[in-house]
Amino acid sequence: YVSILIERALERPLAKFGVMLGAIFLVELAAHGLQFDMPGWAGALIDAAILTALASIIMWPLIVKPLRVALMTAQARAQAILDTVTDAIMTIDDHGIIQAQNRAARTTFGISDEDAIGRNINMIVPSPHRERHDGYLENYRRSGVKHVIGTTQQLEAVRMDGEVFPIELSVSEGWAEGRRFFTATIRDITERKRTEERLQKLSNAVEQSPAATVITDTSGSFEYVNPKFLEVTGFTREDLIGKTPAVIKSGLTPPEVYEDLWRTIRSGSEW
């Protein structure tokens, strides 16, 4: 029970500060000729306790507590700013250990701060790169040659439930208090990839369509013609792209028909 009380007491910042001061005072007293006997140690402990109490009463409220509050406020403000960013952000040290993450990272990967901070970032890297990731960092520390840092790359990542998904990754390097750190900005591009796949399927369907198909800009200039249109008209893409349908007029269709056609299309209707 006593050990539990001591443990709970030491969780308080003031108690931690007092213990630290007491240890410092005790070391200082020992360094100034304290003899290693029981009476000497008893006196030293009493002196250390008195000095600790006095220093805590004076230094904690006047100096240490305001500095601690200011530091915690600055950290909270920085974290709040990071949490407004829609992309996932993770900060790691030069050995790949996660130091911090923002709200988007927690959501994207499904991992809490307690489970992420202090662990290797390779946990969000799918195989086979997961097993090689520490080696990549070691090679960079040794050679200084940048392969990913300062670039944006499309890779894959893995969520905590095991789902592998496409990402856009940007990595920057920084230094703080003589220590190197890396900041990874990660964007989930799952929806973008799905859209690209749908557009590719549509493009393939139009390209292989048995119906002659053209796409023009709002002024009527050709932007795209499919192979069937080229087959029917006998023109090449070079003959048509950037030009208006005037180049394929036969002269047999009345101008009023073309005027009606473009008027209908430009109004958003189907002709």
Side-chain angles (χ1 to χ4, degrees), residues 173-193:
E173 179 182 13
W175 290 83
E177 298 178 352
R179 296 182 179 180
R180 177 165 44 200
F181 66 91
F182 302 100
T183 300
T185 303
I186 305 161
R187 176 171 296 176
D188 185 345
I189 58 172
T190 302
E191 287 305 316
R192 184 199 301 178
K193 287 294 183 181

Side-chain angles (χ1 to χ4, degrees), residues 143-159:
S143 67
V145 177
K146 299 179 180 180
H147 295 288
V148 177
I149 297 171
T151 66
T152 299
Q153 299 191 10
Q154 290 190 7
L155 303 169
E156 289 184 326
V158 59
R159 307 187 205 275

